[in-house]
């Protein structure tokens, strides 16, 4: 049941990302304020949907639902709770879902904290971010889906890779993803400036704080990853 809800929310998220990609940009080219204003509410909706989807996957690991292929492949009855949660992003399918969830968080943050941008500017930025989100969600949905079902369900799972049963696995990937994904904001600001023909000092001022924040997350993540690899290997 939970897996079906997660799959449904993932499909709705994909649809929302497509609408975010299209409506604000169409509004910009048609000079339609109503369409451009859809960017912010769509950004918030996308974040809520993807966060709910990710939390469902976490719940499937906590509940040890081995009917879900991804869960039994990377968890087991003996796995402690903290590593069951960590196993959510312990392999490819879950880590990509985490990636798009973090992406949606950045998009919502840009929508909320870029009040200095004009309506035409923020509509272009959010539309470009919508393009990126659409691509990654499509990859999760069609090529790396964590909600696939195994029938009949096994009685126990394969367990999480022992190298990943560590405190470093809990904090390193989220921080690293916040850094990597955050760089898409600077990219989107640059593309939006190119579309609008406004390549000047304003673009640098808009992008600086977002780039610095993403860079800080990425730096901390790399440092923690180096420490983890050193003592683990």
């Amino acid at each position: 049941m939970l897996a079906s809800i997660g799959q449904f929310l993932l499909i709705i998220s994909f649809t929302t990302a497509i609408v975010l990609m299209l409506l604000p940009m169409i509004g910009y080219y048609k000079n339609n304020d109503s369409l451009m204003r859809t960017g912010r509410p769509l950004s918030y909706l996308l974040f809520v949907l993807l966060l709910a989807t990710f939390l469902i996957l976490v719940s499937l690991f906590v509940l040890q639902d081995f009917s879900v292929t991804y869960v039994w492949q990377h968890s087991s009855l003996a796995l402690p709770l903290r590593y069951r949660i960590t196993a959510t992003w312990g392999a490819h399918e879950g880590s990509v879902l985490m990636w798009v969830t973090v992406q949606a968080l950045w998009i919502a943050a840009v929508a909320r904290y870029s009040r200095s941008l004009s309506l035409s500017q923020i509509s272009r930025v959010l539309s470009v971010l919508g393009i990126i989100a659409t691509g990654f969600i499509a990859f999760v949905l069609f090529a790396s889906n964590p909600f696939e079902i195994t029938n009949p369900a096994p009685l126990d799972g394969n367990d999480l890779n022992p190298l990943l049963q560590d405190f470093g696995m809990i904090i390193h990937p989220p921080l690293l993803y916040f850094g990597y994904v955050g760089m898409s904001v600077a990219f989107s600001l640059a593309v939006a400036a190119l579309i609008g023909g406004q390549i000047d000092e304003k673009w640098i001022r808009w992008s600086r704080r977002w780039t610095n924040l993403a860079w800080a997350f990425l730096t901390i993540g790399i440092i923690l990853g180096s420490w983890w690899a050193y003592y683990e290997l």
Side-chain angles (χ1 to χ4, degrees), residues 110-190:
V110 171
R112 175 65 179 83
Y113 296 107
S114 290
R115 298 294 178 180
S116 62
L117 298 182
S118 68
L119 183 58
S120 66
Q121 291 163 343
I122 192 63
S123 65
R124 298 195 306 269
V125 173
L126 293 178
S127 183
V128 174
L129 285 167
I131 294 171
I132 298 171
T134 299
F136 277 104
I137 297 172
F139 179 71
V140 176
L141 189 58
F142 300 114
S144 186
N145 195 324
F147 296 110
E148 291 182 354
I149 299 297
T150 294
N151 191 15
L155 298 178
D156 199 355
N158 286 344
D159 204 11
L160 181 65
N161 187 327
L163 290 176
L164 302 182
Q165 296 181 34
D166 185 89
F167 174 75
M169 184 61 188
I170 299 175
I171 59 173
H172 168 61
L175 286 171
L176 206 60
Y177 281 17
F178 268 92
Y180 279 130
V181 177
M183 291 298 177
S184 67
V185 177
F187 169 79
S188 298
L189 285 164

Side-chain angles (χ1 to χ4, degrees), residues 1-14 48-57 59-60 63 65 68 97 141 145-149:
M1 181 64 179
L2 269 181
S4 298
I5 296 173
Q7 178 74 9
F8 175 74
L9 289 176
L10 193 57
I11 293 170
I12 299 300
S13 300
F14 180 57
V48 170
L49 289 169
L50 283 172
L51 180 61
T53 305
F54 183 74
L55 290 177
I56 285 175
L57 186 60
S59 300
L60 291 170
L63 297 172
D65 187 346
V68 179
L97 180 60
L141 189 58
N145 195 324
F147 296 110
E148 291 182 354
I149 299 297

Side-chain angles (χ1 to χ4, degrees), residues 6 13 26 71 134 226:
S13 300
I26 292 172
V71 175
T134 299
S226 301

